[in-house]
């Protein structure tokens, strides 16, 4: 489905079914694919009619999709904003049309009041802190400086901003750690691969790679190997999400730590949509529960990974 459209899934409920317009970020990562499947399946199970639109990581496509949903008079609009800022106008339009908005996965940055009902998603700052805490512990006995390269997610997106913030907060308490390079890899494998290749050619001593998601870490691993180095050994690799491919890479010794970010939030989202539609009160912020996994746990956890 293309940017501004509204591909109806045609599933769920008869005439009384709640109609939900959902604008997804894109299909940039394994996490995103799992998130989309979870939402589609949960809508079907709940008998909610889903109008699904893929923004291909472009904010203007999301704004167009939301305007289409308003025009079609859907009951509820949900979306995962590609970036944090720039939503005030379209959110005000939804509000004046009387259509409740639910944010999922990523937050928006707005001063306007009451423009969305609730935000269901991970605590990205805490994910960054978890990555930082593990690293500090791991290098506790090292007196040498630790040079870190950072693969950032999409510039201006909540997970990129927050994961950087949380990680920096923790490592900056110790003089040993320094982020020597940091660049946007857009949450994709190809982005991770290209940016890591550039990092490797401009920096002789890289001790740690901190990637804001698994796909970028997996892309970067290819570049590390092409440079004749061993990921997980010569360069400590930390990433976020917990997709199966990353668990496999961890079991193979190529990733050292994965901080989980759970995409399977479809059922919780449908619950919220039903409540919001019924005019019930919902909490303004609902956080998703998540774990941290090290190499020792990877093999055992792998068969149980659901995404
Ligand atoms: O917003 C969640 C992030 O977006 C995931 O960590 C990343 O993989 C995805 O693209």
């Amino acid at each position: 489905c293309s940017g501004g459209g509204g591909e109806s899934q045609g599933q769920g409920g008869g005439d009384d079914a709640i109609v939900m317009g959902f604008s997804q970020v894109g299909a940039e990562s394994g996490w995103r694919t799992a998130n989309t499947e979870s939402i589609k399946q949960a809508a079907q199970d709940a008998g909610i009619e889903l109008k699904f639109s893929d923004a291909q990581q472009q904010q203007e496509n999301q704004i167009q999709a939301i305007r289409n949903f308003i025009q079609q008079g859907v009951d509820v609009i949900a979306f995962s904003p590609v970036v944090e800022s720039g939503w005030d106008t379209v959110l005000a339009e939804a509000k004046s049309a009387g259509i409740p908005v639910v944010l999922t996965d990523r937050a928006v940055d707005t001063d306007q009041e009451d423009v969305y009902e609730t935000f269901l998603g991970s605590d990205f700052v805490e994910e960054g802190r978890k990555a930082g805490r593990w690293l500090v512990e791991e290098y506790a006995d090292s007196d040498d400086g630790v040079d870190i390269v950072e693969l950032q997610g999409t510039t201006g997106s909540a997970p990129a901003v927050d994961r950087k913030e949380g990680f920096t907060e923790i490592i900056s308490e110790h003089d040993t750690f320094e982020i020597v390079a940091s660049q946007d890899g857009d949450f994709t494998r190809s982005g991770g691969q290209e940016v890591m290749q550039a990092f490797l050619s401009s920096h002789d001593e890289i001790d740690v790679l901190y990637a804001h998601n698994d796909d970028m870490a997996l892309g970067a691993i290819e570049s590390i190997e092409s440079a004749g180095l061993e990921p997980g050994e010569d360069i400590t690799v930390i990433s976020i999400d917990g997709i199966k491919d990353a668990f496999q890479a961890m079991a193979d010794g190529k990733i050292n730590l994965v901080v989980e970010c759970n995409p399977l939030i479809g059922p919780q989202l449908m619950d919220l949509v039903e409540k919001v539609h019924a005019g019930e009160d919902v909490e303004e912020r609902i956080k998703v529960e998540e774990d941290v996994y090290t190499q020792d746990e990877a093999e055992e956890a792998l068969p149980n990974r659901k995404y």
Side-chain angles (χ1 to χ4, degrees):
C1 165
S2 66
E7 169 206 347
S8 181
Q9 292 304 297
Q11 302 286 355
D15 292 346
D16 299 338
I18 299 170
V19 179
M20 171 176 84
F22 184 81
S23 170
Q24 180 60 290
V25 170
E28 73 283 5
S29 62
W31 188 100
R32 188 65 54 196
T33 306
N35 181 245
T36 292
E37 278 167 16
S38 171
I39 288 165
K40 288 184 174 176
Q41 186 61 51
Q44 191 179 327
D45 294 346
I48 290 177
E49 188 186 328
L50 173 66
K51 291 179 183 295
F52 183 89
S53 179
D54 174 344
Q56 297 169 0
Q57 287 186 282
Q58 300 300 318
Q59 180 172 35
E60 56 269 30
N61 290 343
Q62 287 202 297
I63 291 175
Q64 190 52 50
I66 293 168
R67 291 204 165 117
N68 288 348
F69 294 147
I70 296 172
Q71 220 167 30
Q72 292 166 42
V74 300
D75 297 312
V76 180
I77 292 171
F79 76 113
S80 174
V82 59
V83 289
E84 283 184 303
S85 59
W87 300 102
D88 284 359
T89 309
V90 77
L91 286 175
E93 286 167 22
K95 189 179 173 181
S96 48
I99 302 175
V101 171
V102 173
L103 296 180
T104 163
D105 163 36
R106 297 184 182 182
V108 298
D109 197 357
T110 180
D111 294 331
Q112 298 188 110
E113 302 228 332
D114 302 326
V115 281
Y116 62 88
E117 305 294 319
T118 178
F119 165 38
L120 164 68
S122 305
D123 184 341
F124 297 136
V125 178
E126 189 54 26
E127 290 172 352
R129 287 192 194 114
K130 286 176 182 168
R133 284 187 201 115
W134 179 85
L135 187 65
V136 167
E137 184 99 338
E138 188 68 10
Y139 282 83
D141 297 331
S142 158
D143 297 326
D144 300 335
V146 180
D147 286 357
I148 305 164
V149 295
E150 179 182 36
L151 275 168
Q152 290 191 48
T154 309
T155 302
S157 69
V161 173
D162 294 353
R163 286 171 184 168
K164 183 177 190 60
E165 184 190 317
F167 182 75
T168 312
E169 178 192 310
I170 301 297
I171 61 158
S172 61
E173 291 165 4
H174 307 264
D175 295 339
T176 346
F177 301 98
E178 189 186 353
I179 298 180
V180 293
S182 179
Q183 212 179 301
D184 182 356
D186 213 13
F187 283 127
T188 63
R189 278 190 204 206
S190 58
Q193 194 247 321
E194 279 161 34
V195 176
M196 190 67 202
Q197 198 177 13
F199 285 162
L200 286 161
S201 55
S202 52
H203 296 271
D204 292 337
E205 281 296 322
I206 296 173
D207 300 305
V208 176
L209 162 66
Y210 170 46
H212 288 188
N213 84 340
D214 288 342
D215 283 83
M216 290 191 295
L218 292 164
I221 284 171
E222 288 173 33
S223 294
I224 296 171
E225 288 178 331
S226 304
L229 297 168
E230 266 189 69
E233 280 291 332
D234 298 322
I235 297 179
T236 299
V237 179
I238 301 175
S239 99
I240 301 181
D241 276 355
I243 61 171
K244 275 191 196 142
D245 287 358
F247 268 78
Q248 186 59 59
M250 223 180 359
D252 295 342
K254 297 179 183 188
I255 293 182
N256 304 76
L257 182 83
V258 165
V259 177
E260 188 180 42
C261 178
N262 182 5
L264 308 179
I265 51 180
Q268 248 179 311
L269 174 61
M270 298 316 141
D271 257 16
L272 286 169
V273 166
E274 281 167 356
K275 286 191 175 138
V276 162
H277 181 62
E280 287 175 37
D281 280 341
V282 290
E283 279 175 66
E284 208 178 309
R285 172 75 169 105
I286 299 160
K287 288 184 187 169
V288 183
E289 301 279 315
E290 284 145 354
D291 282 317
V292 170
Y293 293 88
T294 57
Q295 275 183 353
D296 316 336
E297 298 151 315
E299 207 150 338
E300 206 186 315
L302 191 53
N304 302 321
R305 296 305 294 169
K306 295 198 170 60
Y307 61 96

